[in-house]
Amino acid sequence: MNAPLDPIAIQVIESSLRSICEEMGASLIRAAYSTNIKERRDCSTALFDSGGRMVAQAEHIPVHLGAMPDAVRAVMAESPLPGDIFILNDPFRGGTHLPDITIVSTIAVPDEASGDRIIAYAASRAHHSDVGGTEPGSMPAASTTLAEEGVVIPPTRLVAAGEPREEFLKELLSQMRRPGERLGDLRAQMGAGRIAERRLLELVGRQGLSRVTAAMDAAVAYAERRMRRAIGGLPEGNYRAEDYLERDGDDLTIAVAITVKDEEIHIDFEGTSPQESGNLNCPMPVTRSACYFVVRAVTDPDIPANAGALAPVHISAPDGSLVNALPPAAVAAGNVETSQRIVDTLLLALSKAMPLPAQGQGTMNNLTLGSEEPGGEFNYYETIGGGAGACPGVDGASGIHQGMTNTLNTPVEALEMAFPLRVERYEFREGSGGIGVWRGGDGVVRSLRLRAPARLSLLADRRRHAPRGAGGGAPGLPGKNLINGEEVAGKLTVSLKAGDLVTVETPGGGGYGSR
């Protein structure tokens, strides 16, 4: 008979679950084919219990992880069976944007009464360098419908009761560019799921199923207690703010009202702009991700990142708004740019209740280059770091990813080896951080010379609206995009020829405090 769980046993099992997620991520990165995953590490992993609650995650990409529970719920609605592996990327059924493909694997144990029984789900989400659509790289600047951004995959069995669905996979890959690379990355994701299954069953073998499931319950309850206590330490009140996204010379508004009361937080996006005709629309799972990220950041980031930590956070947004878009809206930039601005707006509102840093760069500076020329096909995608906002007592960091992204850069050597590109500049954008008692971090300058013709897509923000300073500090410099030295729009898709030079100058962070 299993001994009752004590706090040490719960901690051991909870740490084992987190370790499984980290090993999943390490396996995925090692086995991936694309530089986007193996170098930039644009991927995330997590474990869920049989009821679909997140019980552990790796320290990966916030915008992936906060939306994963929606993906697992969408899979559970398809009545999964032991041995099933599901694939999906539909932003309106648990996805984020189409290049982010999610693999959800069932984990089962034998049950004398009913045969194998599902005890958990392992999930991985990775940004694939191409999933079809009108432009190489599947991140077009001018898309107006989801279909233009790539193949839409509802929750679908990739493996049914242990049997691979080879014809389905072959048909799916035929709709994507460089299908061999896509297959390699998908196999890496499925391999990560097998690692999770092996390690979780080993844990069950050591501890017993009842102890593992009891520890999952206890970890979720513990995270909720800690989050409620942390929220209870915030000043009660209603805090409002607005911030803006840039679209073709106009601004789109994100409005938020945050109510802190009785150890709970209510976030309401009433007043936000309606969903637009372009692709800055944000599906609700992404909006939830941004809200969860901010709440964890301003309370206690050491609270276990599981379903319990999310329970006291309540989010509402008007249907058909920019932050709760309805299909078939295009969403390629909503996941990467609108999510960043949601974070900025929430932090701006909460800065009225507590000291918070100045604004960071507030954009992912998405740069996509690709070609379909026979014999010269390639797909390159990158997000580029910038300046972080200064804090009371600390200068902002320079040239880092922040907010809803947590990727690395693509090393120059790996980039030039994999693609017909040459890196001509990669350096800090000195002086771009805002002045203050504590300076904002500097952005970076990244210049790429094309060695072959390609299509370029840029999705970047804060080209007109600079990141704000705080406490009297100055704003950081807004970013710039240039082609052959001529400034171009923040969001565009264009054809380039061999020899053309693309330069992205990323924003600096705001300064803190007046001199």
PDB file of all heavy atoms in Angstrom, residues 328-343:
ATOM      1  N   PRO A 328     -12.972  33.565 -40.349  1.00  0.00           N
ATOM      2  CA  PRO A 328     -11.646  33.078 -40.788  1.00  0.00           C
ATOM      3  C   PRO A 328     -10.566  34.155 -40.758  1.00  0.00           C
ATOM      4  O   PRO A 328      -9.740  34.239 -41.662  1.00  0.00           O
ATOM      5  CB  PRO A 328     -11.931  32.645 -42.218  1.00  0.00           C
ATOM      6  CG  PRO A 328     -12.932  33.683 -42.705  1.00  0.00           C
ATOM      7  CD  PRO A 328     -13.801  34.026 -41.504  1.00  0.00           C
ATOM      8  N   ALA A 329     -10.545  34.979 -39.724  1.00  0.00           N
ATOM      9  CA  ALA A 329      -9.604  36.098 -39.662  1.00  0.00           C
ATOM     10  C   ALA A 329      -8.160  35.627 -39.786  1.00  0.00           C
ATOM     11  O   ALA A 329      -7.780  34.572 -39.263  1.00  0.00           O
ATOM     12  CB  ALA A 329      -9.783  36.840 -38.344  1.00  0.00           C
ATOM     13  N   ALA A 330      -7.349  36.416 -40.466  1.00  0.00           N
ATOM     14  CA  ALA A 330      -5.911  36.176 -40.521  1.00  0.00           C
ATOM     15  C   ALA A 330      -5.296  36.528 -39.168  1.00  0.00           C
ATOM     16  O   ALA A 330      -5.710  37.502 -38.533  1.00  0.00           O
ATOM     17  CB  ALA A 330      -5.277  37.011 -41.627  1.00  0.00           C
ATOM     18  N   VAL A 331      -4.303  35.749 -38.736  1.00  0.00           N
ATOM     19  CA  VAL A 331      -3.777  35.923 -37.375  1.00  0.00           C
ATOM     20  C   VAL A 331      -2.255  35.848 -37.295  1.00  0.00           C
ATOM     21  O   VAL A 331      -1.701  35.835 -36.190  1.00  0.00           O
ATOM     22  CB  VAL A 331      -4.370  34.861 -36.409  1.00  0.00           C
ATOM     23  CG1 VAL A 331      -5.883  34.973 -36.326  1.00  0.00           C
ATOM     24  CG2 VAL A 331      -3.936  33.459 -36.822  1.00  0.00           C
ATOM     25  N   ALA A 332      -1.546  35.818 -38.424  1.00  0.00           N
ATOM     26  CA  ALA A 332      -0.097  35.579 -38.387  1.00  0.00           C
ATOM     27  C   ALA A 332       0.618  36.548 -37.451  1.00  0.00           C
ATOM     28  O   ALA A 332       1.482  36.156 -36.664  1.00  0.00           O
ATOM     29  CB  ALA A 332       0.494  35.676 -39.792  1.00  0.00           C
ATOM     30  N   ALA A 333       0.268  37.833 -37.518  1.00  0.00           N
ATOM     31  CA  ALA A 333       0.931  38.826 -36.678  1.00  0.00           C
ATOM     32  C   ALA A 333       0.277  38.972 -35.314  1.00  0.00           C
ATOM     33  O   ALA A 333       0.887  39.530 -34.390  1.00  0.00           O
ATOM     34  CB  ALA A 333       0.953  40.180 -37.383  1.00  0.00           C
ATOM     35  N   GLY A 334      -0.942  38.492 -35.164  1.00  0.00           N
ATOM     36  CA  GLY A 334      -1.593  38.585 -33.864  1.00  0.00           C
ATOM     37  C   GLY A 334      -0.827  37.822 -32.800  1.00  0.00           C
ATOM     38  O   GLY A 334      -0.645  38.296 -31.676  1.00  0.00           O
ATOM     39  N   ASN A 335      -0.355  36.639 -33.163  1.00  0.00           N
ATOM     40  CA  ASN A 335       0.393  35.815 -32.221  1.00  0.00           C
ATOM     41  C   ASN A 335       1.687  36.477 -31.790  1.00  0.00           C
ATOM     42  O   ASN A 335       2.085  36.391 -30.622  1.00  0.00           O
ATOM     43  CB  ASN A 335       0.684  34.461 -32.875  1.00  0.00           C
ATOM     44  CG  ASN A 335       1.497  33.547 -31.998  1.00  0.00           C
ATOM     45  OD1 ASN A 335       1.067  33.158 -30.923  1.00  0.00           O
ATOM     46  ND2 ASN A 335       2.691  33.204 -32.451  1.00  0.00           N
ATOM     47  N   VAL A 336       2.373  37.142 -32.705  1.00  0.00           N
ATOM     48  CA  VAL A 336       3.707  37.655 -32.414  1.00  0.00           C
ATOM     49  C   VAL A 336       3.730  39.136 -32.032  1.00  0.00           C
ATOM     50  O   VAL A 336       4.547  39.556 -31.206  1.00  0.00           O
ATOM     51  CB  VAL A 336       4.654  37.409 -33.611  1.00  0.00           C
ATOM     52  CG1 VAL A 336       4.975  35.938 -33.737  1.00  0.00           C
ATOM     53  CG2 VAL A 336       4.072  37.935 -34.917  1.00  0.00           C
ATOM     54  N   GLU A 337       2.855  39.942 -32.611  1.00  0.00           N
ATOM     55  CA  GLU A 337       2.886  41.384 -32.358  1.00  0.00           C
ATOM     56  C   GLU A 337       1.778  41.834 -31.409  1.00  0.00           C
ATOM     57  O   GLU A 337       2.030  42.564 -30.451  1.00  0.00           O
ATOM     58  CB  GLU A 337       2.810  42.145 -33.684  1.00  0.00           C
ATOM     59  CG  GLU A 337       4.028  41.928 -34.563  1.00  0.00           C
ATOM     60  CD  GLU A 337       5.320  42.319 -33.871  1.00  0.00           C
ATOM     61  OE1 GLU A 337       5.471  43.493 -33.491  1.00  0.00           O
ATOM     62  OE2 GLU A 337       6.182  41.437 -33.686  1.00  0.00           O
ATOM     63  N   THR A 338       0.546  41.408 -31.660  1.00  0.00           N
ATOM     64  CA  THR A 338      -0.549  41.830 -30.783  1.00  0.00           C
ATOM     65  C   THR A 338      -0.353  41.273 -29.375  1.00  0.00           C
ATOM     66  O   THR A 338      -0.650  41.944 -28.387  1.00  0.00           O
ATOM     67  CB  THR A 338      -1.900  41.393 -31.374  1.00  0.00           C
ATOM     68  OG1 THR A 338      -1.988  41.853 -32.720  1.00  0.00           O
ATOM     69  CG2 THR A 338      -3.056  41.971 -30.581  1.00  0.00           C
ATOM     70  N   SER A 339       0.160  40.058 -29.271  1.00  0.00           N
ATOM     71  CA  SER A 339       0.429  39.502 -27.947  1.00  0.00           C
ATOM     72  C   SER A 339       1.407  40.380 -27.171  1.00  0.00           C
ATOM     73  O   SER A 339       1.245  40.585 -25.961  1.00  0.00           O
ATOM     74  CB  SER A 339       0.981  38.078 -28.069  1.00  0.00           C
ATOM     75  OG  SER A 339       2.279  38.073 -28.650  1.00  0.00           O
ATOM     76  N   GLN A 340       2.403  40.922 -27.855  1.00  0.00           N
ATOM     77  CA  GLN A 340       3.362  41.808 -27.193  1.00  0.00           C
ATOM     78  C   GLN A 340       2.694  43.086 -26.690  1.00  0.00           C
ATOM     79  O   GLN A 340       2.984  43.565 -25.588  1.00  0.00           O
ATOM     80  CB  GLN A 340       4.492  42.178 -28.164  1.00  0.00           C
ATOM     81  CG  GLN A 340       5.387  41.019 -28.579  1.00  0.00           C
ATOM     82  CD  GLN A 340       6.390  40.645 -27.505  1.00  0.00           C
ATOM     83  OE1 GLN A 340       6.050  40.000 -26.515  1.00  0.00           O
ATOM     84  NE2 GLN A 340       7.633  41.042 -27.685  1.00  0.00           N
ATOM     85  N   ARG A 341       1.778  43.614 -27.517  1.00  0.00           N
ATOM     86  CA  ARG A 341       1.128  44.862 -27.105  1.00  0.00           C
ATOM     87  C   ARG A 341       0.121  44.617 -25.991  1.00  0.00           C
ATOM     88  O   ARG A 341      -0.105  45.508 -25.150  1.00  0.00           O
ATOM     89  CB  ARG A 341       0.438  45.531 -28.307  1.00  0.00           C
ATOM     90  CG  ARG A 341       0.043  46.972 -28.034  1.00  0.00           C
ATOM     91  CD  ARG A 341       1.258  47.894 -27.751  1.00  0.00           C
ATOM     92  NE  ARG A 341       2.056  48.000 -28.958  1.00  0.00           N
ATOM     93  CZ  ARG A 341       3.242  47.415 -29.116  1.00  0.00           C
ATOM     94  NH1 ARG A 341       3.801  46.717 -28.132  1.00  0.00           N
ATOM     95  NH2 ARG A 341       3.886  47.516 -30.251  1.00  0.00           N
ATOM     96  N   ILE A 342      -0.500  43.455 -25.959  1.00  0.00           N
ATOM     97  CA  ILE A 342      -1.375  43.132 -24.830  1.00  0.00           C
ATOM     98  C   ILE A 342      -0.571  43.184 -23.534  1.00  0.00           C
ATOM     99  O   ILE A 342      -0.999  43.765 -22.529  1.00  0.00           O
ATOM    100  CB  ILE A 342      -2.026  41.753 -25.022  1.00  0.00           C
ATOM    101  CG1 ILE A 342      -3.019  41.782 -26.190  1.00  0.00           C
ATOM    102  CG2 ILE A 342      -2.748  41.311 -23.744  1.00  0.00           C
ATOM    103  CD1 ILE A 342      -3.533  40.417 -26.588  1.00  0.00           C
ATOM    104  N   VAL A 343       0.616  42.584 -23.550  1.00  0.00           N
ATOM    105  CA  VAL A 343       1.481  42.616 -22.369  1.00  0.00           C
ATOM    106  C   VAL A 343       1.799  44.055 -21.974  1.00  0.00           C
ATOM    107  O   VAL A 343       1.687  44.436 -20.801  1.00  0.00           O
ATOM    108  CB  VAL A 343       2.779  41.824 -22.637  1.00  0.00           C
ATOM    109  CG1 VAL A 343       3.812  42.088 -21.543  1.00  0.00           C
ATOM    110  CG2 VAL A 343       2.481  40.336 -22.731  1.00  0.00           C
TER     111      VAL A 343
END
